[in-house]
Amino acid sequence: MSKLTRKLILRITVALCAVFVLSFAVNTFFLPKYFLYQKKHKLAGLTSELAAMEYGQLVERIGPMEEQYQVTIAYTSLADTVNDLNSRLIVQFNRKGIALSKFWLAEESVAALREGGKVNKIYDQAKLKSSFLVNFLPAGGYVFAVGESISYSSDTIQIVNRFNLYIWVGMLLLLIVLSALYTTRIVKPLAKLNETAEAISNLSFAKADIRTGDEIESLAGSINRMSDKLEDAHQSLEAKNANLRTFIADISHELKTPLSLIQLYASGIQDGLDDGSYADVIRQQSEAMSGMIDRLLELSRLQAETYQFAPVDFRQLLGEMLVA
């Protein structure tokens, strides 16, 4: 497995684990509160809608309201005693399939209802592993109890988290396999590019034949063009070096001849063999060497300077040359 594949799989694994931990924390700590908030908000809206109705209209709307909002509604007279009021409400809930082990409306709550206020309660039904959320509202001397069962979310959330864990593990395995396959498609072209670059660095101007249809193919094209240009530059440099070696050999031969003559005639002067012409020969050969050196310096200057091409009026230039 390549380094790129390992890095990609590691980063995907870390990202998925982070997302799963965040999802687990949200489901465990925030989802129950949000679920309860939504239920309270739903009952509050339904209670506000019922509060705007008259007693007779309320009684007629109980059945449709229960079916539409999936709630249970019971009602009894506020003139009853607290015990009778609670008993009648419990009986009505039982008849509608809501068996409550804990349900009681205290005297303070009944007094608040008789004064026209609203009361909201939540009753924990431990044996049923649920709670019963009830909103009480008074209307026409009666109290209406609008309730909805809320199952304990802990068991449900555990099941959801376990199910999510299975899904995340499956996704992780699938992504690892897909990442390995995908990075293989990436790594192979990159390996070819690496081999091509290594060959170019060793002055073997190879080319990479990559057909991926993406940025890697574009990069391969750029490297191939670079290889062609480097090969041309290398060949040009080799040609210049060959010319330079030839030039050096030629100039060495050209300089050796006058130097040999100068040495020869200088020795003749020392030996007293000068017939009056040795000094002239030495001067002539020195001037020839000086001229040759001047030409070398001019050639060096011409090669070092940068030239810019510009259009020239050839007729004007020819006229100036003829006048001169």
Side-chain angles (χ1 to χ4, degrees):
M1 184 180 293
S2 65
K3 294 181 179 180
L4 181 61
T5 304
R6 288 197 297 270
K7 285 183 179 181
L8 182 60
I9 291 176
L10 178 60
R11 291 178 181 179
I12 289 176
T13 302
V14 171
L16 283 178
C17 290
V19 172
F20 175 75
V21 170
L22 180 62
S23 175
F24 182 85
V26 170
N27 289 341
T28 303
F29 300 105
F30 297 102
L31 186 58
K33 296 179 180 179
Y34 179 74
F35 182 71
L36 181 60
Y37 167 78
Q38 290 293 326
K39 292 295 183 181
K40 288 182 177 180
H41 182 72
K42 171 186 172 182
L43 280 184
L46 178 57
T47 303
S48 300
E49 184 179 347
L50 295 176
M53 300 180 184
E54 299 293 336
Y55 168 74
Q57 188 180 6
L58 276 173
V59 174
E60 293 178 357
R61 292 286 297 163
I62 287 178
M65 286 288 186
E66 289 179 331
E67 184 176 355
Q68 179 181 356
Y69 292 99
Q70 297 298 309
V71 295
T72 305
I73 303 175
Y75 67 99
T76 187
S77 175
L78 281 172
D80 294 336
T81 63
V82 174
N83 291 336
D84 292 340
L85 185 147
N86 283 290
S87 298
R88 290 190 173 92
L89 291 177
I90 291 174
V91 169
Q92 291 184 44
F93 280 129
N94 287 336
R95 289 175 180 173
K96 295 184 178 184
I98 304 298
L100 300 175
S101 58
K102 293 181 180 180
F103 182 87
W104 193 259
L105 199 58
E107 293 183 0
E108 294 82 1
S109 300
V110 174
L113 290 169
R114 287 171 179 169
E115 292 176 359
K118 297 179 182 178
V119 177
N120 301 328
K121 295 286 185 180
I122 184 168
Y123 299 99
D124 187 15
Q125 309 295 312
K127 293 182 179 180
L128 300 177
K129 292 187 177 182
S130 64
S131 299
F132 194 62
L133 181 63
V134 187
N135 285 6
F136 298 92
L137 71 151
Y142 285 79
V143 57
F144 286 81
V146 183
E148 183 175 6
S149 293
I150 303 174
S151 60
Y152 281 171
S153 56
S154 57
D155 295 339
T156 304
I157 288 174
Q158 289 180 3
I159 295 174
V160 171
N161 286 335
R162 190 178 302 114
F163 184 71
N164 284 340
L165 176 61
Y166 297 151
I167 293 177
W168 285 110
V169 171
M171 290 177 58
L172 178 60
L173 294 176
L174 179 61
L175 285 174
I176 288 175
V177 173
L178 292 178
S179 299
L181 294 175
Y182 186 69
T183 51
T184 300
R185 294 186 59 188
I186 296 177
V187 169
K188 285 184 178 179
L190 290 179
K192 290 183 179 179
L193 290 178
N194 185 41
E195 293 175 0
T196 304
E198 187 69 23
I200 292 174
S201 67
N202 294 324
L203 300 180
S204 176
F205 301 100
K207 294 182 181 181
D209 185 13
I210 296 175
R211 308 285 180 175
T212 58
D214 52 18
E215 288 77 4
I216 297 179
E217 182 178 345
S218 177
L219 176 60
S222 299
I223 291 178
N224 291 338
R225 289 190 294 272
M226 180 186 69
S227 178
D228 291 337
K229 291 181 179 180
L230 288 176
E231 185 176 9
D232 293 340
H234 180 69
Q235 292 176 353
S236 176
L237 183 61
E238 286 292 333
K240 290 182 179 179
N241 289 337
N243 293 333
L244 180 61
R245 286 191 294 268
T246 303
F247 176 75
I248 291 175
D250 292 343
I251 199 67
S252 298
H253 181 270
E254 293 294 331
L255 288 175
K256 187 175 182 180
T257 300
L259 281 174
S260 298
L261 290 174
I262 290 172
Q263 291 175 354
L264 179 63
Y265 280 90
S267 298
I269 292 173
Q270 290 178 348
D271 294 339
L273 301 176
D274 184 10
D275 60 355
S277 63
Y278 283 17
D280 292 336
V281 172
I282 292 174
R283 181 180 57 78
Q284 292 174 0
Q285 296 301 322
S286 298
E287 291 177 351
M289 288 179 59
S290 177
M292 191 177 300
I293 292 173
D294 289 339
R295 289 196 296 274
L296 288 175
L297 292 176
E298 181 68 16
L299 178 61
S300 175
R301 183 182 65 81
L302 292 175
Q303 290 181 347
E305 291 181 355
T306 301
Y307 296 93
Q308 295 182 353
F309 294 94
V312 175
D313 188 349
F314 184 75
R315 292 182 179 179
Q316 180 180 357
L317 179 62
L318 181 60
E320 292 176 355
M321 291 179 65
L322 292 176
V323 172

